[in-house]
Amino acid sequence: FLVNSSLLLAQPEKNHSYQFELEPLFKHGEILKHTINFTPLIEQKSFSTELNLQWQSKEGKAWSQMLHYPAWGVATGYTYFGNKNILGEAYYIVPNIQFRLVGNKKLQLWLKAGVGLTWMTKHYDVLENPTNNVIAHQLITPQLLGCA
């Protein structure tokens, strides 16, 4: 679920053609065994927190009006995967755009898309961390298996 909260001002503000918002987000779930190669033990539930600073145009060009005034933002967040020793954690920053698909003043459906950077605290490594095969795989090359 999403909770939007607009910035509140004690003084009357100038009428701008955009508005800034802070969008906090919390996700809670569980990683499911989706392949027979999934071997790590998931000790706890997974969760992710995010804070998105976004601005939305209220007037402007024809394409913006046609797309129901999309909101642009930059999100930063943290993800815990349920097993810190094997899967680690993730920290990320993602520039994004949100499009309103349908809705009225009380209920709306939005599509959010973005591409950004993530720092993972644990990585898959065939020798050091072979159990972390959930997030990403890498091919075993002859150099890794060669004799020293």
Side-chain angles (χ1 to χ4, degrees):
F1 76 100
L2 298 175
V3 179
N4 285 332
S5 58
S6 299
L7 295 174
L8 301 175
L9 301 173
Q11 301 293 325
E13 64 178 287
K14 296 178 183 177
N15 191 7
H16 295 289
S17 61
Y18 55 87
Q19 73 182 39
F20 286 97
E21 296 177 344
L22 284 175
E23 177 187 46
L25 179 64
F26 180 79
K27 297 179 247 180
H28 187 265
E30 184 175 344
I31 297 177
L32 300 175
K33 183 173 181 169
H34 56 280
T35 176
I36 59 171
N37 297 326
F38 185 102
T39 57
L41 176 65
I42 304 301
E43 301 166 340
Q44 300 171 342
K45 302 281 185 183
S46 302
F47 68 88
S48 179
T49 60
E50 178 178 299
L51 185 61
N52 189 29
L53 172 61
Q54 66 183 18
W55 55 98
Q56 182 175 15
S57 169
K58 294 190 249 178
E59 57 186 51
K61 305 196 183 297
W63 68 267
S64 182
Q65 183 178 7
M66 183 178 74
L67 295 173
H68 304 287
Y69 304 107
W72 301 84
V74 177
T76 184
Y78 165 80
T79 301
Y80 174 73
F81 297 111
N83 186 330
K84 193 183 287 189
N85 295 328
I86 295 173
L87 301 176
E89 304 161 295
Y91 299 89
Y92 61 90
I93 184 165
V94 179
N96 60 76
I97 185 168
Q98 297 183 52
F99 298 100
R100 185 170 66 96
L101 301 176
V102 294
N104 54 35
K105 287 186 177 184
K106 293 186 179 185
L107 184 64
Q108 299 177 4
L109 177 64
W110 289 75
L111 172 67
K112 182 177 179 180
V115 176
L117 299 172
T118 300
W119 178 63
M120 305 284 291
T121 59
K122 295 282 186 175
H123 300 279
Y124 173 79
D125 183 280
V126 72
L127 299 176
E128 300 291 325
N129 193 6
T131 310
N132 185 4
N133 62 359
V134 177
I135 309 289
H137 259 293
Q138 93 184 36
L139 296 174
I140 300 173
T141 61
Q143 293 86 359
L144 294 174
L145 299 177
C147 298

